[in-house]
Amino acid sequence: MGLFDLFKKGNKGEEVKKEFDGKVIAPISGNLMPLSEVPDEVFAQKMIGDGIAIEPTASGVMVAPASGRIEKIFDTNHAFSIVTPAGIEIFVHLGMDTVKLEGKGFERIAEEGAVVKAGDPIVEVDLKKLRAKYNMSTMLVVTNANTQTIQFIEPTTVKLGQSIIK
């Protein structure tokens, strides 16, 4: 199956949903922690959805956590979402209050609407520069699926590209 076969169209032009392939990877190396531990009430109380957070320890390149279509990359490049062929939306938010930077310290690599594979680079982040003033915890939130669909592994240290679901 080719990359663009991820999103087949039905007879009426609508996208045909496929089963979730069960693959979600760490978009950056770091320490995995529960959302409840991040110092942001919206994420900690799971108002957007359930997920995990990673405190980055290395690398400034943020990769796609799953294969799918980049549905949105914020103008400030501090957050993006990917929709899998099964229709599951994964929202990735880089750091706390980083929207205030108005894009400084973030370089977009991919574009909205692109179909990507898990591990493809999305945004480069100047972690060294940003850590001086910002908490760079990175949240991965499943915004439209229940926790039976995706169950994240227990807190641990993860490497870029490592599977982070049970």
Side-chain angles (χ1 to χ4, degrees), residues 31-99:
N31 298 313
L32 193 72
M33 60 186 173
L35 274 182
S36 60
E37 291 183 15
V38 300
D40 181 300
E41 189 175 310
V42 172
F43 289 107
Q45 293 187 9
K46 302 178 183 177
M47 293 179 192
I48 298 171
D50 201 358
I52 52 91
I54 298 174
E55 179 59 41
T57 55
S59 173
V61 175
M62 211 50 79
V63 302
S67 296
R69 177 180 292 122
I70 300 173
E71 198 67 22
K72 175 76 177 157
I73 299 179
F74 284 64
D75 291 340
T76 54
N77 299 323
H78 78 287
F80 62 90
S81 65
I82 291 181
V83 176
T84 71
I88 296 170
E89 182 178 25
I90 301 174
F91 177 65
V92 180
H93 191 280
L94 313 161
M96 302 288 153
D97 297 323
T98 51
V99 68

Side-chain angles (χ1 to χ4, degrees), residues 50 88 142-151:
D50 201 358
I88 296 170
V142 178
T143 62
N144 66 344
N146 64 38
T147 53
Q148 272 74 35
T149 304
I150 297 179
Q151 294 182 344

Side-chain angles (χ1 to χ4, degrees), residues 9-28:
K9 299 284 184 185
N11 292 337
K12 296 179 183 174
E14 76 283 358
E15 285 186 1
V16 176
K17 298 254 191 291
K18 298 180 182 241
E19 281 197 39
F20 176 60
D21 66 6
K23 294 179 184 172
V24 179
I25 63 169
I28 196 163

Side-chain angles (χ1 to χ4, degrees), residues 110-124:
E111 293 300 323
E112 269 184 31
V115 175
V116 295
K117 290 189 277 188
D120 285 351
I122 306 293
V123 175
E124 187 163 0

